[in-house]
Amino acid sequence: MIMKKLYILFIIALLGSPLLAQQLPWYSLYRENNFMLNPAIVGAERHAIATVSYRHQWFKVQDAPKTMTAGFRAPLLRKSIGVGGNLIYDKTGPTGFIGGTAAISYHISFAKINPFHWARFLRKSKLSLGMSFSAYQYRLNSNELLLDQPNDPSINQNQNGKIMPNAGIGLYYYYDKFYLGFSIPNVIPFNIQFDDVNTSSNLKRELHYYVVAGGKIPIGPAYKPTFTIEPMVWFKTVKNAPFQVDAHVRFKYKDFFWLGAGYRTKQTVVFDASVLIKKQIQISYAYDQQLSDVRSYIGNSHEILIGYHFPEKKKRYKRYD
């Protein structure tokens, strides 16, 4: 009986608590999933990329969050337009959602805009504006609940879930050695209410604000550096939740292999590694190590991603150097 009540309290906290910080899926492989948080990044790469990923959070917790994604993004029209999309399935205990997002971005090259021809770094800079559209079905699976009243209609009638549309916006400034972005992945806050004669439950989602900044420090020949150091930091804020920062640095050997490490507020250290085989097949793995007092109870997190980088079509463009 006590375990049942604790489980129900856990579900209520997931559905209704405004203090819940993780209302959107969380990633440790930020660079590989960046366009899911900022649609303006779609098309910033020089070629098309397809990925699938799986994340298992808090490995020792039964029914802890699990997130599966499949995505594709590509530049179009001489890289002035970017398009992308992703499918996602997220499950935490008896709650979860499934859906998809489509994103489009427009990239403005400063090289074509006067009076910026005199500044070399501005000639190589671009500013992107992006927008995404999504639809997700949120549901509560009553089959996974241990209830005192197995046929409780207030739970059973809600297992089909409810579909909610949303949209996201983003800005992204970038050139060869630096980038800065701002985004709101869900610009429409909502409050889903599951009603019955005697009870009601709410699933409330607040606006999330993201800022990302990073760059590249080449080591070796300027035209083809052997090593590259890539620092990056993500800032995240959401109403009624602590301000969160993820600082990360990656050490890359050519375009073949890289290792990374970072620190996330809330006392989490993140390690990741990746290999790019023949410049096409990417295999990445991330491991989150908890440093807080509850680490022995909740365990750590694992994330794996497999991607395919489509060969870039080489074309000659007008030079602005």
Side-chain angles (χ1 to χ4, degrees):
M1 181 67 68
I2 294 177
M3 290 303 296
K4 292 179 182 179
K5 291 182 178 180
L6 289 175
Y7 202 61
I8 296 299
L9 288 174
F10 173 69
I11 295 168
I12 293 173
L14 286 175
L15 291 177
S17 173
L19 298 178
L20 182 63
Q22 183 172 311
Q23 293 188 328
L24 293 179
W26 198 250
Y27 304 103
S28 291
L29 295 170
Y30 275 114
R31 303 170 201 263
E32 285 69 29
N33 290 299
N34 50 21
F35 86 98
M36 297 183 189
L37 300 176
N38 187 343
I41 298 178
V42 169
E45 295 94 350
R46 297 180 179 179
H47 55 275
I49 304 174
T51 62
V52 293
S53 68
Y54 172 77
R55 177 175 175 82
H56 189 164
Q57 192 160 316
W58 307 328
F59 210 74
K60 291 185 179 181
V61 177
Q62 184 179 359
D63 295 326
K66 299 179 180 67
T67 305
M68 290 166 278
T69 67
F72 175 81
R73 58 194 187 273
L76 298 176
L77 300 178
R78 294 193 175 185
K79 303 172 185 177
S80 62
I81 299 291
V83 295
N86 74 286
L87 301 174
I88 185 170
Y89 172 74
D90 186 89
K91 186 177 187 300
T92 302
T95 67
F97 64 87
I98 186 171
T101 300
I104 186 169
S105 63
Y106 180 68
H107 299 254
I108 304 170
S109 174
F110 282 75
K112 300 178 182 180
I113 303 176
N114 289 318
F116 296 121
H117 289 279
W118 59 271
R120 182 178 179 84
F121 82 94
L122 283 175
R123 290 204 306 270
K124 295 184 176 182
S125 296
K126 290 186 177 182
L127 178 66
S128 174
L129 297 84
M131 179 173 290
S132 64
F133 304 92
S134 61
Y136 295 99
Q137 181 188 44
Y138 296 84
R139 64 192 183 283
L140 174 63
N141 188 355
S142 62
N143 296 326
E144 298 184 19
L145 298 178
L146 299 175
L147 303 174
D148 293 331
Q149 300 179 16
N151 296 319
D152 187 347
S154 65
I155 298 296
N156 290 331
Q157 74 169 5
N158 294 317
Q159 61 181 332
N160 292 329
K162 296 187 178 182
I163 297 177
M164 296 295 294
N166 216 312
I169 57 174
L171 294 172
Y172 189 62
Y173 166 79
Y174 64 102
Y175 70 103
D176 289 345
K177 297 181 178 64
F178 177 77
Y179 55 87
L180 176 66
F182 169 79
S183 64
I184 308 175
N186 54 333
V187 296
I188 306 174
F190 60 75
N191 187 355
I192 303 176
Q193 186 167 334
F194 296 94
D195 292 322
D196 191 54
V197 177
N198 300 318
T199 62
S200 65
S201 299
N202 292 344
L203 174 58
K204 187 176 182 180
R205 176 162 289 181
E206 303 286 355
L207 296 182
H208 290 58
Y209 303 90
Y210 290 89
V211 174
V212 62
K216 299 180 180 179
I217 304 173
I219 301 175
Y223 63 94
K224 194 174 182 181
T226 304
F227 296 95
T228 305
I229 301 175
E230 300 181 357
M232 180 194 70
V233 59
W234 276 93
F235 302 93
K236 170 191 172 183
T237 182
V238 59
K239 183 180 178 181
N240 295 326
F243 185 75
Q244 186 161 323
V245 179
D246 276 47
H248 189 272
V249 61
R250 178 175 286 178
F251 301 90
K252 179 182 289 187
Y253 173 70
K254 296 184 178 180
D255 284 326
F256 169 67
F257 178 77
W258 54 93
L259 293 171
Y263 179 79
R264 179 182 304 148
T265 52
K266 297 184 180 180
Q267 304 182 53
T268 303
V269 177
V270 179
F271 303 96
D272 70 280
S274 189
V275 62
L276 185 61
I277 304 172
K278 295 183 178 181
K279 297 184 178 181
Q280 289 183 296
I281 300 174
Q282 179 181 349
I283 302 174
S284 302
Y285 170 76
Y287 174 78
D288 296 11
Q289 172 70 54
Q290 294 288 332
L291 302 179
S292 62
D293 295 336
V294 298
R295 63 183 181 275
S296 60
Y297 301 101
I298 67 175
N300 302 306
S301 303
H302 304 266
E303 187 174 336
I304 187 169
L305 177 141
I306 298 175
Y308 181 78
H309 295 241
F310 292 82
E312 181 182 359
K313 294 181 179 180
K314 297 182 178 181
K315 294 183 179 181
R316 294 184 177 181
Y317 297 104
K318 182 179 178 180
R319 294 180 59 90
Y320 292 92
D321 295 336

